[in-house]
Amino acid sequence: MSRDRAEWHEVQALVARAAQVRIDCALRDLPRIAPLLTRDDGSATAAFRFYRLSASADAPEGTISACDAAECSVSAVLPMTCQRCLGEVQIQAHGSAHLAFIDDEAAVGTVPESHDPVIMSAGRVSLAELVEEELLLAMPIVPVHAEVAQCQPRPGETVEENPADAAASAPKQTPFAGLRELMKK
């Protein structure tokens, strides 16, 4: 976690008061997301609800008995490059997660399957980094417009009314058409 220590939060204090925290993060301040965008204006909104997670009676052997946890939901409109038309597409990114805060990597296996482990640094976490992680998970692998009709034509390209009609009218290639005649010889 490389962010400025001033924006890190004491998890235990947030859990002790069952804090509900809402934050806005400028997209330009998210170093792993900003380079993927066509513009870096805008922001991501996140809501966190902190609580104490207690293991249930039917929890598997080796699961932690209790730990600090949070629910989070993240949303943002991400201006990205459509991979069909190379124009800009507005991606509505929404993500949510249940997080369990742990002190070191050795405790990852003890976190219940219902929660994602988050390794703290001296009992603190950066909420902005958690927002960035959730947005990365919510982003599409290949951003495209929902409908082909929404795509912008490329310079010098003509837009056809119906791509299915164009495919039907194109000459069909039959690579083995002359093979029968050759085999008769």
Side-chain angles (χ1 to χ4, degrees):
M1 294 186 181
S2 60
R3 296 203 182 260
D4 180 18
R5 300 296 276 180
E7 61 180 49
W8 287 34
H9 300 272
E10 291 284 341
V11 173
Q12 193 173 27
L14 293 169
V15 169
R17 65 178 206 260
Q20 293 189 19
V21 179
R22 182 176 166 89
I23 64 169
D24 290 318
C25 297
L27 295 177
R28 73 177 49 85
D29 294 337
L30 303 175
R32 293 182 292 162
I33 291 180
L36 305 173
L37 306 176
T38 56
R39 294 177 284 113
D40 65 358
D41 56 341
S43 64
T45 302
F48 293 88
R49 184 183 68 80
F50 291 87
Y51 60 94
R52 185 81 176 149
L53 175 65
S54 299
S56 62
D58 59 345
E61 183 72 29
T63 304
I64 54 176
S65 59
C67 73
D68 294 335
E71 290 178 6
C72 84
S73 62
V74 178
S75 64
V77 176
L78 305 173
M80 300 182 79
T81 302
C82 172
Q83 297 303 301
R84 267 194 216 116
C85 68
L86 301 179
E88 185 175 285
V89 60
Q90 300 294 317
I91 300 294
Q92 301 286 331
H94 302 283
S96 62
H98 294 277
L99 309 171
F101 300 101
I102 55 176
D103 292 318
D104 56 34
E105 201 168 315
V108 167
T110 64
V111 173
E113 288 184 20
S114 60
H115 285 68
D116 296 326
V118 175
I119 300 172
M120 298 180 291
S121 178
R124 300 172 65 124
V125 295
S126 167
L127 296 183
E129 280 190 12
L130 296 177
V131 169
E132 187 174 40
E133 286 289 327
E134 289 307 313
L135 280 179
L136 285 168
L137 292 170
M139 290 172 62
I141 295 171
V142 180
V144 293
H145 287 97
E147 301 291 329
V148 175
Q150 295 173 324
C151 284
Q152 302 167 7
R154 294 181 188 165
E157 183 178 66
T158 58
V159 178
E160 298 176 11
E161 289 299 315
N162 186 349
D165 292 342
S169 67
K172 292 194 185 297
Q173 293 184 357
T174 53
F176 298 110
L179 185 60
R180 180 170 297 205
E181 294 302 317
L182 288 173
M183 300 232 359
K184 287 181 184 178
K185 292 184 182 182

